[in-house]
Every structure is written in structure tokens, then in C-alpha cells.
Amino acid sequence: LLHDKFIHLERWCAYLETEYKKSINRDAWLLLLDFARTADASMANIDLDNSAWPIVIDEFVEHFRAS
């Protein structure tokens, strides 16, 4: 479903399986498509200090940037 819309889909799934390992709340699932459309390839355009993304998305961005 998101394969052609979310360039980070494989990394997102790997992050959830290996790092996050918690259930994902409805808010996060509802905002995932918006995030997928917003995030550029380097996620440099995601401002964690002034954004309202769910925690799982914030932590994914931090993990992505650290790797």
C-alpha cells in the first residue's frame, strides 16, 4: 500500500521489528502517510523540535539520522 509512496518503508519496517518493538497507536498509523509524503530522502526537512509527529515517528527519524 505504501510501497510507492514511502521511500523509507523498508527502513521503517526494520526499525519497528528490531528497535521499537511496541504496538503502534492509531494516531501514528493515521499520520504515517502524511509523514511519508513530507519526509525527503535524508529527512533533513523533518524538524523534531517544532513538529507534532507521534513519538514513534520522532524516534524513527532520530534512529535514521544516527545510522
Side-chain angles (χ1 to χ4, degrees):
L1 185 63
L2 288 175
H3 220 296
D4 60 333
K5 295 177 177 65
F6 189 16
I7 59 174
H8 301 292
L9 182 60
E10 288 182 26
R11 290 187 81 167
W12 167 256
C13 291
Y15 170 74
L16 294 178
E17 291 174 357
T18 62
E19 301 292 327
Y20 194 70
K21 297 182 183 180
K22 301 175 194 170
S23 61
I24 308 299
N25 65 29
R26 182 182 169 148
D27 184 45
W29 284 121
L30 293 174
L31 289 172
L32 185 60
L33 182 58
D34 289 337
F35 174 73
R37 291 177 175 161
T38 302
D40 63 16
S42 67
M43 290 197 215
N45 66 328
I46 303 298
D47 180 4
L48 295 178
D49 294 327
N50 298 306
S51 66
W53 297 113
I55 291 172
V56 63
I57 292 176
D58 285 346
E59 291 177 353
F60 170 65
V61 172
E62 290 172 354
H63 176 77
F64 177 88
R65 289 177 178 169
S67 60

